[in-house]
């Protein structure tokens, strides 16, 4: 086993590592760079298949009007769209490369659905929808960090990122946290629906809010770059690179010499020494993926909730000690409008266009993203094809009145997984301990479901819209999981961390991803993930 003394050879500064390249990694990296550090980012770094990347690059050199029907067909390639009644799975240019799975260096054995994990450059942000909102105090009842402090660090994490937002009704409870955001334009459908909301519903602080969706997406010409081209393919992969991905930002910092990016490495375990931290890392580029040792002064673990939990369990030899992994679950709800909705597809942005936030007193916020134009829906209904018969024509009529809500709940009301590190059975042929995962529960709690359904029906009927609850589908494939190693003001259990993401006995190892969240707000967690990681990295260096 070889040992590498990691750090910049020409600098006496503190040697710092960040494990992972997703949203939490980027938040920590931005704080470290702001403090003058040059961290080494250790990452598996899987990327989109070369042939798909090349074709996407070729399309980026053309305007959407010059794309052929074959180009559109390739962009829309998604076999999960035709999978019966299931919710289509988000892919990038037809690839699910960013979804992690079992591998020999990090074995995993799922029972039921595999919880989301990733080994991709950028983590799961490589395929996310880029929706962002800051947290609300009502959703942080079990957090040891004040909401004002989290907002301050969320604002710092937002600096320099493409941010489409409008200072509208959402700001009543959710501050915009930016001086000059650059909003993308709404489709005609989005403008129509927002007008319906404005004329039929009243903003009620702490109870009911709505406004234009806040997205990390680059508007046309923002920062001197191309930005959104309104090509109608946001849910299939952005050929123009307008949708924010953590990996893009990390590689830009690497090219600028502000960080070092080391791909092809998978962290197996770590240990804190008297004067530093030793990492045991699989070199995936070498035959047999041998373990190497790397030494640092301080380490920030941002491998994602599942992988960070695996690393911690392996490091502590925590066998047969199950941990609960919480989710931010919900459902997808089709809604029929009694009035026709103008359609622009494919000449529009197909990310969610409207956010609807609502809650009953004493309860958490329920978050609904209104998707009025979406190519996956267009493809599933087949209305992108020329009409061929009565059924086809009826579908086209229905499509002009149909839209979808993605409804998400706080983790207190959502499903859970159980994670457990297990020794391999002699007869299994395995040599490595493996992570056993089990989906324990999926649907939201009944009283929460009924309460939110009542509010949705009441408000949608005022718009002249009918929620089609019999056609709703539970969203068990949420990217949003965490809470296995929750932060506490006074950590007591072996898996509880302090406000800087440190387990008992660890002073130089900070876990910064969603595994340390005490709970997951329903109102999107991407910005909170970056902001909390920024906070930990910033404070840890200030106090070192």
């Amino acid at each position: 086993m070889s040992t590498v003394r990691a750090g910049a050879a020409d600098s006496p500064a503190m040697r710092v590592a960040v494990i992972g390249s997703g949203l939490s990694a980027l938040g920590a990296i931005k704080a470290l760079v702001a403090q003058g550090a040059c961290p080494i980012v250790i990452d598996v770094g899987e990327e989109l298949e070369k042939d798909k990347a090349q074709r996407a690059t070729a399309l980026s050199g053309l305007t959407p009007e010059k794309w052929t029907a074959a180009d559109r067909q390739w962009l829309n390639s998604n076999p999960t769209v035709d999978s019966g009644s299931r919710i289509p799975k988000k892919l990038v240019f037809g690839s699910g490369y960013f979804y992690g799975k079992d591998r020999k260096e990090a074995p995993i054995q799922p029972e039921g659905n595999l919880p989301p994990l990733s080994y991709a450059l950028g983590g799961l942000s490589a395929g996310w929808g880029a929706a962002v909102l800051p947290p609300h105090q009502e959703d942080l009842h079990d957090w040891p960090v004040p909401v004002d402090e989290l907002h301050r660090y969320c604002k710092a994490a937002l600096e320099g990122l493409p941010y489409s937002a409008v200072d509208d009704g959402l700001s009543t409870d959710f501050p915009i946290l930016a001086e000059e955001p650059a909003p993308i334009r709404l489709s005609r459908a989005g403008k129509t629906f927002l007008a319906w909301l404005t004329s039929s519903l009243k903003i009620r602080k702490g109870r009911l809010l709505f406004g234009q969706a806040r997205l990390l997406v680059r508007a046309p010409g923002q920062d001197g770059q191309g930005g959104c081209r309104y090509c109608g393919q946001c849910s299939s992969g952005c050929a123009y690179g307008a949708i924010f991905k953590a990996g893009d930002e990390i590689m830009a910092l690497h090219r600028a010499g502000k960080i070092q990016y080391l791909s092809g490495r998978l962290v197996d375990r770590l240990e804190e020494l008297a004067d530093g931290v030793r990492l045991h890392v699989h070199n995936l580029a070498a035959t047999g993926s041998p373990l190497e040792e790397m030494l640092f002064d301080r380490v920030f673990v941002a491998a994602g909730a599942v992988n960070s939990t695996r690393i911690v369990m392996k490091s502590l030899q925590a066998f047969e000690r199950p941990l609960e992994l919480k989710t931010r679950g919900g459902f997808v709800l089709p809604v029929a409008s009694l009035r026709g909705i103008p359609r622009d597809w494919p000449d529009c942005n197909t990310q969610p266009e409207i956010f609807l936030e609502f809650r009953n007193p004493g309860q958490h916020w329920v978050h609904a993203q209104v998707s009025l134009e979406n190519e996956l829906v267009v493809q599933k209904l087949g209305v992108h094809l020329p009409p061929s018969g009565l059924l086809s024509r009826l579908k086209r009529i229905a499509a002009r009145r149909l839209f979808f809500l993605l409804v998400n709940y706080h983790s207190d009301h959502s499903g859970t997984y159980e994670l457990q590190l297990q020794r391999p059975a002699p007869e299994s042929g395995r040599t490595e301990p493996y992570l056993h995962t089990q989906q324990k529960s999926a649907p939201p709690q009944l009283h929460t479901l009924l309460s939110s359904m009542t509010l949705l029906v009441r408000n949608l009927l005022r718009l002249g819209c009918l929620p089609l609850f019999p056609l709703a589908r539970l969203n068990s494939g949420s990217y949003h999981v965490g809470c296995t190693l929750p932060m506490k003001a006074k950590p007591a259990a072996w898996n509880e961390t302090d406000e800087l993401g440190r387990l008992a006995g660890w002073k130089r190892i900070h876990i910064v991803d969603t595994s340390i969240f005490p709970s997951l707000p329903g109102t999107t967690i991407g910005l909170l993930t970056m902001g909390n990681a920024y906070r930990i990295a910033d404070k840890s260096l200030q106090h070192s």
Side-chain angles (χ1 to χ4, degrees):
M1 180 182 293
S2 60
T3 301
V4 179
R5 191 73 183 179
D10 59 345
S11 173
M14 178 183 293
R15 299 179 301 277
V16 181
V18 175
I19 301 171
S21 62
L23 296 177
S24 57
L26 179 61
I29 289 166
K30 291 186 72 170
L32 294 170
V33 170
Q35 290 270 7
C38 181
I40 291 181
V41 179
I42 301 171
D43 195 31
V44 176
E46 293 179 345
E47 298 188 67
L48 180 67
E49 294 88 341
K50 188 175 181 179
D51 60 327
K52 295 182 184 295
Q54 289 176 339
R55 186 160 185 180
T57 299
L59 289 177
S60 71
L62 303 172
T63 61
E65 295 78 16
K66 293 184 178 179
W67 291 352
T68 66
D71 292 332
R72 290 275 183 185
Q73 184 177 7
W74 176 75
L75 284 167
N76 285 320
S77 176
N78 188 331
T80 70
V81 171
D82 301 319
S83 56
S85 60
R86 286 176 48 201
I87 299 172
K89 190 174 184 179
K90 180 74 181 293
L91 301 178
V92 174
F93 305 121
S95 173
Y97 78 97
F98 56 93
Y99 295 111
K101 54 188 177 183
D102 175 63
R103 56 189 308 151
K104 67 181 182 66
E105 301 88 3
I108 185 167
Q109 180 178 309
E111 188 174 334
N113 287 340
L114 179 69
L117 67 148
S118 182
Y119 296 106
L121 170 61
L124 288 168
S125 79
W128 77 324
V132 290
L133 269 182
H136 191 278
Q137 182 61 56
E138 295 296 334
D139 292 332
L140 302 177
H141 63 95
D142 51 358
W143 280 62
V145 185
V147 69
D148 290 346
E149 182 177 342
L150 289 168
H151 283 176
R152 186 169 69 251
Y153 281 106
C154 285
K155 183 175 182 178
L158 268 177
E159 288 184 9
L161 301 186
Y163 184 33
S164 170
V166 173
D167 194 3
D168 54 17
L170 293 174
S171 302
T172 305
D173 278 280
F174 298 93
I176 201 165
L177 299 181
E179 300 299 330
E180 296 182 357
I184 59 173
R185 73 165 188 251
L186 292 175
S187 68
R188 287 187 299 155
K191 292 176 181 177
T192 298
F193 190 78
L194 188 56
W196 291 352
L197 287 168
T198 303
S199 63
S200 303
L201 302 180
K202 182 180 179 180
I203 295 289
R204 300 172 66 192
K205 182 175 176 59
R207 297 290 298 275
L208 175 67
L209 311 174
F210 54 83
Q212 182 167 337
R214 296 182 187 174
L215 307 166
L216 292 186
V217 59
R218 184 172 288 105
Q222 187 180 0
D223 301 328
Q225 301 184 47
C228 179
R229 305 294 289 274
Y230 304 103
C231 69
Q233 299 293 158
C234 305
S235 297
S236 306
C238 182
Y240 299 106
I243 299 176
F244 162 82
K245 292 177 174 54
D248 293 341
E249 300 294 324
I250 287 172
M251 294 311 296
L253 290 169
H254 173 62
R255 289 190 294 270
K258 296 182 178 180
I259 68 171
Q260 299 179 55
Y261 178 74
L262 185 61
S263 64
R265 301 294 195 279
L266 187 149
V267 175
D268 181 73
R269 63 189 187 278
L270 39 75
E271 54 186 312
E272 185 154 325
L273 310 174
D275 61 346
V277 181
R278 179 185 290 125
L279 300 189
H280 299 262
V281 183
H282 287 283
N283 183 349
L284 304 178
T287 303
S289 303
L291 279 173
E292 298 176 346
E293 293 182 358
M294 304 180 75
L295 301 177
F296 293 92
D297 295 309
R298 194 171 294 270
V299 171
F300 298 88
V301 183
V306 174
N307 274 321
S308 289
T309 304
R310 171 188 61 80
I311 292 170
V312 166
M313 286 179 161
K314 191 79 177 289
S315 302
L316 300 180
Q317 295 292 288
F319 294 104
E320 285 79 46
R321 302 179 76 175
L323 294 179
E324 182 181 67
L325 180 75
K326 296 181 181 180
T327 72
R328 193 180 71 98
F331 57 89
V332 174
L333 175 67
V335 182
S337 170
L338 300 181
R339 295 173 281 184
I341 302 174
R343 296 298 184 187
D344 290 334
W345 193 84
D347 303 316
C348 58
N349 185 290
T350 59
Q351 294 174 278
E353 295 192 86
I354 307 295
F355 284 174
L356 179 63
E357 318 295 334
F358 56 94
R359 61 185 286 267
N360 280 318
Q363 296 183 356
H364 296 299
W365 286 95
V366 178
H367 172 70
Q369 298 181 16
V370 185
S371 186
L372 293 146
E373 298 273 18
N374 187 290
E375 70 271 28
L376 298 182
V377 175
V378 169
Q379 187 178 357
K380 196 169 184 69
L381 294 176
V383 296
H384 61 301
L385 302 172
S388 57
L390 179 61
L391 180 60
S392 175
R393 296 180 187 279
L394 290 175
K395 281 186 177 182
R396 298 175 79 86
I397 294 173
R400 293 186 64 84
R401 299 174 180 271
L402 192 67
F403 61 95
F404 287 80
L405 300 185
L406 174 60
V407 180
N408 281 315
Y409 294 102
H410 189 280
S411 59
D412 282 0
H413 315 295
S414 302
T416 61
Y417 292 86
E418 182 182 273
L419 304 185
Q420 190 171 169
L421 185 68
Q422 296 187 347
R423 295 180 176 89
E427 66 274 10
S428 69
R430 294 179 182 266
T431 58
E432 286 286 324
Y434 65 94
L435 187 66
H436 178 265
T437 72
Q438 182 180 6
Q439 189 172 20
K440 303 294 285 187
S441 60
Q445 294 174 353
L446 182 59
H447 69 89
T448 302
L449 188 63
L450 293 176
S451 172
S452 60
M453 287 171 62
T454 301
L455 285 172
L456 271 176
V457 169
R458 182 187 307 158
N459 289 309
L460 288 172
L461 287 178
R462 289 174 180 169
L463 305 181
C465 298
L466 180 65
L468 305 177
F469 282 108
L471 300 179
R473 293 291 178 267
L474 287 174
N475 182 27
S476 60
S478 170
Y479 294 169
H480 308 124
V481 296
C483 313
T484 50
L485 310 166
M487 292 184 294
K488 301 289 182 180
K490 295 180 179 180
W494 73 272
N495 65 309
E496 293 178 349
T497 54
D498 67 9
E499 295 177 19
L500 294 182
R502 298 174 299 191
L503 290 162
W506 285 359
K507 299 300 180 185
R508 300 166 180 265
I509 301 171
H510 305 263
I511 307 160
V512 299
D513 54 37
T514 60
S515 62
I516 62 168
F517 281 21
S519 57
L520 307 172
T523 51
T524 84
I525 63 170
L527 181 55
L528 176 58
T529 299
M530 288 190 287
N532 190 55
Y534 195 114
R535 177 188 66 83
I536 292 174
D538 181 62
K539 285 196 163 186
S540 67
L541 288 197
Q542 286 181 17
H543 299 160
S544 61

